Amino acid sequence: MNSHPIRTPTFGFQTMPAVIRGTGAWSKEEDDKLKAYIQRYGHWNWRQLPKFAGLSRCGKSCRLRWMNYLRPDLKHGSYSKQEEDLILKLYDELGTKWSAMAEKLPGRTDNEIKNYWHSYLKKRAKSNAKQTPAVRQPNEISPENAVSDSPVEQTSENYPLPPEQTSSGSVSSTYCDYAVFSGVNWATEESIDSFGSFSQPVENFWTEPFSVDTSFDQSNFLSSSVEGEFMSSHYYYYYDGSELFNQPMQEF
DNA sequence: AAGCCTAGCAACCGCATGTAT
DNA sequence: CATACATGCGGTTGCTAGGCT
């Protein structure tokens, strides 16, 4: 499938570029802008982000695009048998709590799981149900499944707390303040240098729309989904595979 | 070859929840 | 405590590609 067709439900295919329209399918250019911006500064405020990233999109749309498609830790492609079975099992336990399911399936998003369920697994579940008539209702917790012992389970309690709002910053951020998105490989000295100094991004960041800096090779940064971490002069950054956090240095 | 149908998937929408003021 | 704002979640829509007739 063409990954970025320009189309609009209202005006028809390719009548108006998405970058002008600000809705519809994302163009390669928009993806690059968003990806580069978040890698450089993090998603400190989704509502404001598109303005600074130079995108004609609403924050919600940017968030969705990042979460469901651009995040470097995402798996794309077909599901393994184990994943299918796990989704079926989780649906049995959780019902339509897609985000909760996504937590147990590293690299998969709630949207993706939901789509996969509706397009494929629902049928499989139905055929299974025919074979085994005594089917539990979704959300009904079975005794054998009541205790989650999934090795990939991680709750917010497992993470260090997100940063407090700093006295100098007027913007609160739940996850990452002007953070460079960090994964392994991308925390090399050269990588950090290519972004510029961490001690000075804030001023331009608040006042200038972001322009994509193509001087670094993004594919190198996106090639790894392994957890990683690095330090700036003031904050400690770490990436747990799905979220980026930072902590004031004194916390460590 | 052309038209129709359908599966798959990206994206949108509205509501719920969490957090700051 | 009330309100506003930001974010997250789940349901739904609509487009494309590919198979079928």
Side-chain angles (χ1 to χ4, degrees), chain A residues 18-146:
Chain A
V19 287
I20 296 172
R21 203 176 58 245
T23 183
W26 281 68
S27 67
K28 179 78 170 59
E29 191 186 346
E30 288 177 295
D31 278 350
D32 288 345
K33 277 187 183 178
L34 180 62
K35 200 157 66 180
Y37 184 89
I38 292 177
Q39 283 169 356
R40 185 162 189 172
Y41 298 118
H43 45 84
W44 48 278
N45 180 317
W46 286 114
R47 187 107 160 204
Q48 300 292 319
L49 188 148
K51 189 169 64 185
F52 287 98
L55 291 163
S56 304
R57 296 273 178 174
C58 66
K60 227 174 171 178
S61 182
C62 291
R63 178 189 162 272
L64 203 69
R65 185 64 179 170
W66 173 255
M67 294 298 192
N68 289 337
Y69 198 82
L70 297 175
R71 261 164 49 196
D73 56 313
L74 291 181
K75 272 187 223 173
H76 295 290
S78 56
Y79 284 73
S80 67
K81 180 73 169 57
Q82 287 89 341
E83 284 178 311
E84 283 184 12
D85 291 342
L86 182 55
I87 293 170
L88 287 168
K89 175 175 173 278
L90 290 171
Y91 186 83
D92 196 36
E93 291 177 25
L94 304 167
T96 60
K97 302 284 180 192
W98 307 113
S99 60
M101 288 191 210
E103 284 175 21
K104 315 259 183 188
L105 285 149
R108 303 294 187 185
T109 69
D110 54 352
N111 205 36
E112 201 180 6
I113 294 168
K114 181 173 56 182
N115 283 335
Y116 192 62
W117 170 264
H118 284 303
S119 58
Y120 175 66
L121 290 178
K122 192 158 66 176
K123 293 167 200 158
R124 198 182 133 183
K126 271 185 184 171
S127 67
N128 287 351
K130 280 182 184 170
Q131 286 165 12
T132 55
V135 189
R136 282 187 303 271
Q137 292 299 311
N139 292 323
E140 183 183 343
I141 307 292
S142 61
E144 70 272 24
N145 292 335

